[in-house]
Structures are given as structure tokens and as C-alpha cells.
Amino acid sequence: MSEAIVYERVGDIAVLKANNPPVNALGLAVRTGLIDGIARAESEGTKAVLIYGEGRTYFAGADIREFGKPPAEPFLPDVCNRIEASPLLVVSAMHGTALGGGLEIALSTHYRIAVPSARMGLPEVHLGLIPGATGTQRLPRLTGVEKALEIMTTGRQIGAKQALDLGVIDRIADGEPREIGLAYVQELLDAGATRRPVGEMPAPEPIDFDAAYDATLAKGRGQISPAYAVRAVQAACELPFAQGVARERELFRELMGTDQRQGMIHAFFSERAVGKLPELKGVEPRSLSAVGVIGGGTMGSGIATACLLSGLNVVLLEMTAEAADAARGRIEGNLGGALKRGKISQTRFDELTSKALSLSTDYHSLGDVDLVIEAVFEDMDVKKQVFAQLDAVCKPGAILASNTSYLDINEIAASTSRPGDVIGLHFFSPAHVMKLLEVVVADATAPDVVATGFALGKTLGKISVRAGVCDGFIGNRILKSYRTCADHMVLDGATPYQIDKALTAFGFAMGPFAVADLAGLDIGWATRKRLAPTRDPRERVPTYTDRLCEGGNFGQKTGKGYYVYEAGKRAGVPNPEVTDLIEAERAELGLTPRAFTDEEIVRRYMAAMINEAAKVVGEGIARRPLDVDMTLLFGYGFPRYNGGPLKWADMQGLDKVLADIRAYAAEDDYFWQPAPLLEKLVAEGRTFDDLNKEAA
Ligand code: 3HC
Ligand code: NAI
């Protein structure tokens, strides 16, 4: 018998303990161990079997690392059915997270007990899949179709109490899973309880499955697996159990072969790999309990909120008492939102706003903080003045960080007497909501300062990505490139609205023009004016947006930009003035507009994104392709089911992407300069994922 399942006898009860750290994933050894364990319990004449997990959890699901490889027997659905078919009384004792195949195993046992903190769910949709080990057939038999569909299509976890109310488990008890499990089995045996196979329960009542399918597909913004879950549950209602299981398997296998499954599993592992840097192995972060924030505008107040919500004390410094009051108002507004959503209690709110937060206009109040994050105006001279003052007052070893979007961290660091302590911590707006943090490492930044940047990210619940210094770091540099490509397409004949539509159909949360309206058109206007004197004459920069800005139209905040926003509505309608302005500009430039298909829009936009991303990796600004993928996923609304731009590029075929870029370069060889790394990978027949693997 495999060591992944440890067999033990306690009187008439056989105990099967899962021992496959860290999360008792149901890999081949575990599946074999379960089958062998049940068979042995039967052959030894026991009366019942208890299944539980050693360590932090009951089974957390199938072993995701096995996906994409040839499946090995025994398959998980067969293991589930074997457990349920046993003549012995089989019971699960659950703790930690019983997820996916883990919950499916539990549903195949005849009774389920869980500790109060146990959580369970069927999160397969987050991997581009559906439950594929009888979960779509068993869960609705216990909870009814609607609840089962809600659990499966959202992939959300439920707690033990809700699971009990829904009939997913039979009892909650405090204690060690083994002890509560053994006591429960004994009680069941004493009471003469009989087997209770869920698969033999009557089929659940059907609902209007076509309507549910359409609604789920629409909600998934292009993601297909939740809609597949609807069809699998439909089979539970319409087919006998065994045929329903076969239908589930068929749908599961179909999804296993899709790019969406590959993309989402890439995202799952990359999300975990992104914070693991070989250079930080064995490097201890500095201690972190009090944080200073300079500037309490949009970003500073968001950063302060994020720190407070994660248990850090914050001293926020503003220029004047009035500005400090305004910053307090913004932070209290943010925390009020958390209170309203039930994320914090009133007592916690009071503590955070009184004890944990203090506002000041005096640099000396920063003498004790461990880390300062500067979020003042985006102006190098202002930043240098701030850092000179921080250098004078902060204690030795305090980390001095800048939230700058574009400015050179090396230059900022060089203006202090302690460049080793200086780093970029680039948050995204709103900083207490957005998951991404770019940790920008300058030439002199000390390794333990980098490690502290990552430790802060973890404390704040962010996905932290290491970035090198360049204009815009990873994300904003790539954004500039694909945004420019969109601008070119407008000059050549597409409308901003067609482009936004094509890209939301691809899966982006918003198109680039709707994003620009949200961020404020004045920012881009200021940048264009700043760069105009030094601009290369070959650069194509449309000026029609300047006309909008000159008229005081800055996007959502003024009610008008590319779109017109009615009061109280977040989504806008196309602004007819924009079309006129574009036509006037094309006429002035002597451009004859041509038609673009949505497919061409996506191909060009993605080619621009991939090409710049390949330059970012090639130059070492991002260490690995997966770092770019996670930046775009968590900071720029890239659809998770497409994995990230470089994973998507791999799936398209890098030769195809490069061929596109070369074809576009025939029209504009200034903008479309193929990335050397992309050319190299194509020449060698390798992929971006090969680079990820080499770096692991
Ligand atoms: N298979 C393989 N490895 C897994 C895994 C799984 N199902 N779940 C977690 N791991 C690995 C992680 O990659 C990580 O590895 P690393 O240390 O090398 O980076 C390690 O286990 C620890 O994971 P986390 O860092 O995520 O630990 P947390 O404590 O933060 O979270 C968890 C634990 C809630 C279990 C989380 O890991 C999780 O959500 N896992 C995925 C659960 C899941 O999706 N299950 C369904 C699988 S699909 C399925 O079952 C199909 C079936 O229907 C046929
Ligand atoms: P903002 O204009 O909303 O806020 C700046 C704040 O800094 C103001 O409240 C101002 O009073 C204060 N301030 C200016 N000089 C100061 C000084 N010397 N000492 C103390 N306080 C001072 O600006 P925003 O948008 O918050 O941006 C701040 C920084 O964050 C900039 O570097 C920007 O590039 C960066 N950033 C902005 C993002 C955004 O989406 N707005 C996203 C990521 C980074």
C-alpha cells in the first residue's frame, strides 16, 4: 500500500489517513491508496471506514500538476464510485479546504462530519474545468439544482455551517478530524445506521437549463466552463446516475483540451510562482509594523487604507492641515466602505481611524516608521525634495519607497545618502482594491529591502511582481505600446468604440478608450505635451483627443470624453463629437479610412502587447514571462482565462505572432520593431513557457 494513504485499524473501524503534503492533492498514489484501503478494509471484515487528512487539510482536489499529461488509472470518478459502492459504512471527517475532487470524494462517502472552520467548494471553473469526478451529479442530489449551480459556476467556497444547512455535510464538531471522525463512526454503528449512497438518491428537480446556460455564458464574459457546468447538472436531472457521470466526463474531457484550461492553470501556478525569486532565497525581510505615507491624494489614501486593513500602523504626511484633513476623509471613506460590506466591525473601524492612523504635516513624526511610501505629485524635483527630507529624519534601516508610475528610481535613490534602502513600490488605483504591486528594484537596492517589499505585498494580500527600472516599469510600459497601437488603428479607420467592443469580447474588463475615460484624459494630454518637443518625427500621435481636453472634457470625471456619461451611470454612450474630430484629423492628414474586422483589431493589439512584453523580458525588466502575465492579469484587466499575453502568445504559436509583426512592420517599421527575444524563440522553436520552466 502506498504511503500517501496510511491504513490503520481502530477496533472494527478502518482508518484511511491521507498523507500527501502540502494539501493532500489526489495524485495517483493517493487514488491508488484509497482504492487499496477500501479493499483491505472489506477483506479484513471491518464494519466501517473513516477517511480524513493529515496536516492542514482534507483533500484539496485533484493534483493539478497531472493535468495535460496522459491520465493514469485509477481515475478519480472510479475511485469515488468505488468508495460509494463499498458495503461498509464510509465516513469523511473534514478540516481545512475540501475542494474539487476532495469534495467529490467526501460526497461519495456515506456520511460527512466537519470541524467548524472547514471550508468546501467546487472551484474547477477557476481552472477552466467543471467538477469531473461525479460532483456535478452528486451535489445537486443533495442541495437541489440552483444551489449546486451557484456553487459550481462561481467556484466559491462555503463554510461548514452553510454546508450543514444545505445538506452537504451531516454534522459539525470541534476537535481533531481523526477524533471527531472516530466518535461519529462509532455513534453511527451503535445506532445501526446504514449506508447512504448519494448516487442512489432520486434525480434532482430540473430548471430551465437553456435559460441558465445563456445567463451563465453571458456572465462569464467569454469564459466557457461555468456554462458547461450547467449542461453537466442538466444531465443529473435527465439521465440515470451512471450515464450522468459519463456525460460529466465527456464535458470535462472537452474542457481539458481547451486553451482556456491551459490559460487558467498557467495563471494558478504563476500566481504562486511570481513571489518566489531565486535571488531572495534565504534573505530575511526587515521587520515591518509602522508605515509612513507621504501625500494623501488618490494613491496615498488608498495605500494607507490597504496598510491599515492589514494591521499596520500608518503615519500619513501631507503638506497642509487642510490637505491632511482631506486625506483623513478619503481614508475614512474607504474604511467606511469596508465596514458597510461587513469586512470590518464598527469597533475595528474606530480603532483603525483613531489609534492605528495618525496624520501629520511634520517630517519628524516619521522618525520611528519602518517603511515610508511616497505618493506625492509625479514630478522628479518634488520627489527629490521629499526623499532628502526622509533621508534626514528616518531611522537607520528604514526603507524609503516611491509609488511613482514612470520616474527613474535610480535617480531618486542617488539623491539620498542611502540608495540601498530605496525601492519602488508601484500600487494600482484604487490601491486598497487592486491586487497588483510592482516591486521596482533599482541598481543599488539591497536584497533584504526587496524581500521586505515582497513581504509587504503578502501582508497586504497583493500579487507582487519584481520589476526593473525603465520608463513605466513592466505594466505601464507595455500599456503604452498597445494603447499606441489602438491609436494607430483609429487614425487608419477603426473607431474607439469598435476597438473597445472587440477587446471586451476578447475578455478584457474594459477597452482602452473606456479605461482612458476612467483614468482621466488630462494625464495623457499632459504627457503628450511634455514629450512633444523631443518626439521622433516618425511617431504617429493623434491629436483629436487634445481637442477634447481643450474643451475641458477629461472623461468620466467631467461627464464627457470618448464616451458621454449620464449622471449616476458608470457606463457611457459613444460621444458623437469624437467621430467628427477623428474624421477631421484623418482629412487633415490625408488618410483614407479602411475597415477593420474585430479579429484584426485583436490581432494587432495583442501583437503590440506581446512584442513590448518580449522586449521587457529580453531586457531583464521582468525576470520571467510569467511576471509579465501576472502584471497584466492583476493590474490591467487581462482575461484570466487567456492566461496572460505571453501564455496566450505561446498558445497562438510564436511564429504566427512574429509573422503578424513583420507584416505590420511593412506599413510602419518605426512602431513595429520585432523584439529580439521573440525572434530568438521562434528561430529556436521554443516558447515563453520554456523560459518560465528554465527559471523555476
Ligand atoms: N494540485 C497540485 N498542487 C496544489 C493543489 C492541487 N490541487 N493545490 C495546491 N497545490 C500546491 C500549490 O501549487 C502550492 O505549491 P508550492 O508551494 O509549490 O507553490 C502548495 O500546494 C500550497 O498551496 P497554496 O500556496 O495555494 O496554499 P494555501 O494554503 O494558500 O491554499 C488551497 C491552499 C486553498 C488548497 C489552494 O492551494 C487552492 O485553492 N488549491 C486549488 C484547489 C483546487 O482548485 N482544487 C480543485 C482541483 S481540480 C479537480 O479537483 C478536478 C476534479 O473535479 C476532477
Ligand atoms: P494626487 O494629486 O491625487 O495626490 C498627491 C498628493 O500629494 C496631494 O494630496 C498633495 O497634497 C500631496 N503632496 C504633494 N507634494 C507633497 C509634499 N511635498 N509633501 C506631502 N504631500 C505632498 O496624485 P496621485 O494620483 O495620488 O499620484 C501620486 C503618485 O502616485 C504619483 O507619483 C503618481 O504617478 C503615482 N501613481 C498614480 C496612480 C493613479 O492611478 N493615480 C497609479 C499609480 C501610481
Side-chain angles (χ1 to χ4, degrees):
M1 163 164 292
S2 125
E3 283 176 14
I5 294 288
V6 179
Y7 184 95
E8 188 200 346
R9 278 288 294 275
V10 180
D12 283 340
I13 305 170
V15 178
L16 304 186
K17 176 178 75 175
N19 181 30
N20 187 27
V23 298
N24 286 320
L26 288 148
L28 177 62
V30 178
R31 298 196 302 274
T32 311
L34 283 168
I35 294 265
D36 292 350
I38 293 283
R40 180 165 164 193
E42 287 167 4
S43 71
E44 287 184 3
T46 65
K47 292 192 174 144
V49 180
L50 171 69
I51 301 178
Y52 78 100
E54 170 82 345
R56 62 205 237 202
T57 187
Y58 188 79
F59 310 102
D63 189 337
I64 303 170
R65 285 170 214 276
E66 290 181 355
F67 292 173
K69 297 179 187 155
E73 288 188 83
F75 303 137
L76 200 50
D78 301 332
V79 178
C80 289
N81 290 336
R82 173 69 182 89
I83 290 171
E84 188 180 84
S86 174
L88 306 176
L89 196 71
V90 191
V91 178
S92 286
M94 299 148 81
H95 77 298
T97 41
L99 299 175
L103 183 57
E104 291 172 301
I105 289 280
L107 294 176
S108 308
T109 60
H110 305 135
Y111 293 87
R112 290 161 291 280
I113 185 169
V115 300
S117 60
R119 301 192 61 77
M120 45 209 90
L122 294 171
E124 285 87 345
V125 289
H126 297 314
L127 302 171
L129 293 167
I130 57 169
T134 71
T136 65
Q137 307 303 298
R138 287 199 167 97
L139 187 65
R141 283 179 156 80
L142 287 172
T143 65
V145 164
E146 277 177 18
K147 286 287 170 208
L149 274 181
E150 193 203 317
I151 290 170
M152 274 176 231
T153 57
T154 61
R156 83 181 167 85
Q157 293 178 11
I158 57 172
K161 170 78 176 61
Q162 198 186 349
L164 184 70
D165 293 345
L166 288 173
V168 176
I169 59 173
D170 305 293
R171 182 173 296 187
I172 298 177
D174 225 338
E176 290 301 314
R178 177 189 155 91
E179 309 320 322
I180 61 167
L182 280 172
Y184 187 42
V185 177
Q186 197 54 58
E187 188 185 316
L188 288 166
L189 287 176
D190 292 346
T194 52
R195 292 167 64 254
R196 202 193 38 182
V198 177
E200 291 174 20
M201 290 179 181
E205 284 299 312
I207 58 162
D208 180 346
F209 282 106
D210 288 344
Y213 179 87
D214 290 344
T216 309
L217 200 58
K219 212 166 150 199
R221 283 215 308 252
Q223 195 194 340
I224 54 172
S225 54
Y228 270 57
V230 175
R231 291 300 183 216
V233 172
Q234 181 172 4
C237 297
E238 295 174 357
L239 300 174
F241 181 77
Q243 284 178 37
V245 169
R247 175 76 181 128
E248 172 196 85
R249 197 74 197 147
E250 193 177 53
L251 292 166
F252 180 82
R253 288 219 169 109
E254 220 176 281
L255 287 169
M256 194 58 103
T258 60
D259 282 357
Q260 290 200 1
R261 191 276 299 165
Q262 269 201 60
M264 290 187 102
I265 287 184
H266 170 74
F268 177 86
F269 285 118
S270 298
E271 208 178 307
R272 286 161 176 79
V274 79
K276 288 181 189 148
L277 293 175
E279 71 196 62
L280 294 185
K281 243 186 203 153
V283 181
E284 276 298 308
R286 297 184 189 175
S287 75
L288 202 57
S289 64
V291 172
V293 177
I294 318 290
T298 311
M299 292 309 290
S301 53
I303 293 167
T305 307
C307 291
L308 289 167
L309 286 172
S310 303
L312 297 164
N313 288 332
V314 173
V315 183
L316 189 142
L317 192 99
E318 256 292 353
M319 287 198 289
T320 61
E322 294 75 48
D325 278 349
R328 176 176 277 283
R330 278 190 276 273
I331 296 168
E332 288 186 353
N334 293 340
L335 293 173
L339 174 66
K340 226 186 194 158
R341 286 191 303 279
K343 287 199 155 182
I344 52 170
S345 65
Q346 183 66 50
T347 319
R348 184 90 184 113
F349 175 89
D350 296 341
E351 261 170 30
L352 292 181
T353 50
S354 58
K355 284 192 214 121
L357 170 68
S358 62
L359 286 110
S360 170
T361 54
D362 178 1
Y363 272 86
H364 289 97
S365 46
L366 297 168
D368 282 335
V369 298
D370 306 303
L371 162 77
V372 188
I373 304 168
E374 164 281 309
V376 304
F377 303 132
E378 185 77 338
D379 180 307
M380 184 55 97
D381 290 336
V382 178
K383 304 250 186 215
K384 280 185 180 170
Q385 281 166 25
V386 169
F387 273 78
Q389 279 164 297
L390 292 176
D391 198 7
V393 300
C394 288
K395 66 183 182 189
I399 295 173
L400 312 184
S402 174
N403 179 49
T404 179
S405 305
Y406 290 95
L407 300 176
D408 184 346
I409 309 281
N410 281 321
E411 195 179 333
I412 295 174
S415 75
T416 71
S417 68
R418 35 174 136 176
D421 294 338
V422 176
I423 192 166
L425 291 176
H426 184 219
F427 290 79
F428 288 71
S429 182
H432 57 297
V433 176
M434 292 292 285
K435 290 274 276 180
L436 182 65
L437 175 66
E438 280 182 311
V439 178
V440 187
V441 181
D443 294 346
T445 310
D448 63 342
V449 171
V450 182
T452 315
F454 276 91
L456 174 73
K458 199 163 186 192
T459 303
L460 302 182
K462 307 261 181 229
I463 300 289
S464 308
V465 178
R466 185 202 190 281
V469 176
C470 69
D471 198 52
F473 316 125
I474 298 178
N476 281 345
R477 174 170 159 183
I478 297 171
L479 163 72
K480 185 172 171 223
S481 185
Y482 61 78
R483 174 54 214 237
T484 300
C485 170
D487 282 339
H488 291 175
M489 289 192 279
V490 169
L491 285 178
D492 292 335
T495 67
Y497 316 109
Q498 189 194 358
I499 292 174
D500 278 359
K501 198 170 113 306
L503 292 163
T504 46
F506 177 81
F508 277 97
M510 290 168 94
F513 296 96
V515 169
D517 269 0
L518 181 65
L521 302 185
D522 45 330
I523 302 173
W525 188 31
T527 312
R528 284 193 297 280
K529 282 194 280 196
R530 179 164 56 83
L531 298 178
T534 53
R535 186 173 295 140
D536 190 296
R538 291 170 296 177
E539 230 178 287
R540 301 175 71 205
V541 182
T543 56
Y544 71 93
T545 316
D546 297 356
R547 306 287 95 74
L548 278 178
C549 294
E550 285 156 10
N553 299 310
F554 296 150
Q556 281 203 20
K557 60 186 165 192
T558 60
K560 206 198 274 186
Y562 293 106
Y563 295 84
V564 180
Y565 301 87
E566 263 182 55
K569 285 198 182 157
R570 282 202 72 180
V573 294
N575 176 1
E577 292 163 36
V578 168
T579 324
D580 294 344
L581 289 171
I582 293 170
E583 277 171 13
E585 182 165 1
R586 287 186 195 134
E588 204 178 298
L589 295 169
L591 292 169
T592 310
R594 70 173 179 87
F596 281 79
T597 61
D598 289 0
E599 194 218 335
E600 183 182 357
I601 288 171
V602 169
R603 273 173 72 172
R604 281 183 175 258
Y605 193 79
M606 288 306 299
M609 191 184 298
I610 293 160
N611 201 34
E612 194 63 29
K615 289 177 189 173
V616 161
V617 176
E619 291 168 22
I621 299 297
R623 283 280 158 90
R624 303 156 295 187
L626 68 87
D627 293 317
V628 171
D629 285 344
M630 294 306 99
T631 302
L632 269 291
L633 231 60
F634 289 100
Y636 296 82
F638 191 93
R640 188 179 175 92
Y641 60 75
N642 283 325
L646 296 180
K647 179 66 187 174
W648 188 82
D650 277 350
M651 294 189 293
Q652 301 306 301
L654 297 188
D655 51 345
K656 199 170 145 215
V657 176
L658 182 61
D660 277 351
I661 293 168
R662 286 186 174 140
Y664 305 148
E667 301 159 10
D668 177 355
D669 63 359
Y670 177 73
F671 179 70
W672 293 103
Q673 298 180 31
L677 177 63
L678 184 59
E679 291 181 314
K680 185 168 181 278
L681 289 175
V682 171
E684 293 170 357
R686 294 159 75 220
T687 64
F688 286 112
D689 225 19
D690 290 335
L691 299 182
N692 287 328
K693 288 188 188 117
E694 282 162 24

